[in-house]
Amino acid sequence: MNRIKKGDQVVVTAGKDKGKKGDVLRVAGDKVVVANINIVKRHTKPNPQANQPGGVIEREAPIHISNVMLFNPATGKGERIGIKVLEDGRKLRVFRSSGEAVDA
């Protein structure tokens, strides 16, 4: 079970965007793409088959999952995540500080 999933609100803990908050758009292995975080400029050639114009395009680049923390709205800070196994075998993500379940 991943500690961070698509749609979670996270806080960046390292890098040029440290302290910024955003929603997770994609999770791919140990990398995540967060909305409006780690913006890079990509120079692209026009591709008429894909109806794509050329030029300089700004988009989000992946950031390593270790450089983000799940945002806890109760405390207003990023917090560590633990995984609790229930009696029926289901797994549940919980905040390590309070033990409170993550709404997911």
Side-chain angles (χ1 to χ4, degrees), residues 10 17 20 35 52 58 61-62 68-69 74 76 84-85 88 92 102:
V10 294
D17 294 321
K20 292 184 181 178
Q52 176 184 355
E58 289 189 349
V68 295
M69 291 180 97
K84 183 178 180 182
V85 180
D88 58 355
L92 185 67
V102 177

Side-chain angles (χ1 to χ4, degrees), residues 6 9 16-17 23 27 33 39 42 53 57 72 78-80 84-85 90 104:
K6 179 181 176 180
Q9 190 172 23
K16 65 179 183 179
D17 294 321
D23 293 327
V27 178
V33 176
I39 299 291
R42 176 146 174 90
I57 297 171
N72 187 352
E79 294 195 8
R80 296 185 302 152
K84 183 178 180 182
V85 180
R90 290 186 297 134

Side-chain angles (χ1 to χ4, degrees), residues 87-99:
E87 288 88 21
D88 58 355
R90 290 186 297 134
K91 293 181 181 180
L92 185 67
R93 296 186 301 163
V94 295
F95 288 111
R96 290 250 178 103
S97 61
S98 62

Side-chain angles (χ1 to χ4, degrees), residues 23-38:
D23 293 327
V24 175
L25 301 175
R26 284 193 308 279
V27 178
D30 60 352
K31 305 253 184 187
V32 292
V33 176
V34 184
N36 299 321
I37 301 292
N38 198 20

Side-chain angles (χ1 to χ4, degrees), residues 45-57:
K45 293 174 94 174
N47 185 352
Q49 292 176 340
N51 199 14
Q52 176 184 355
V56 181
I57 297 171

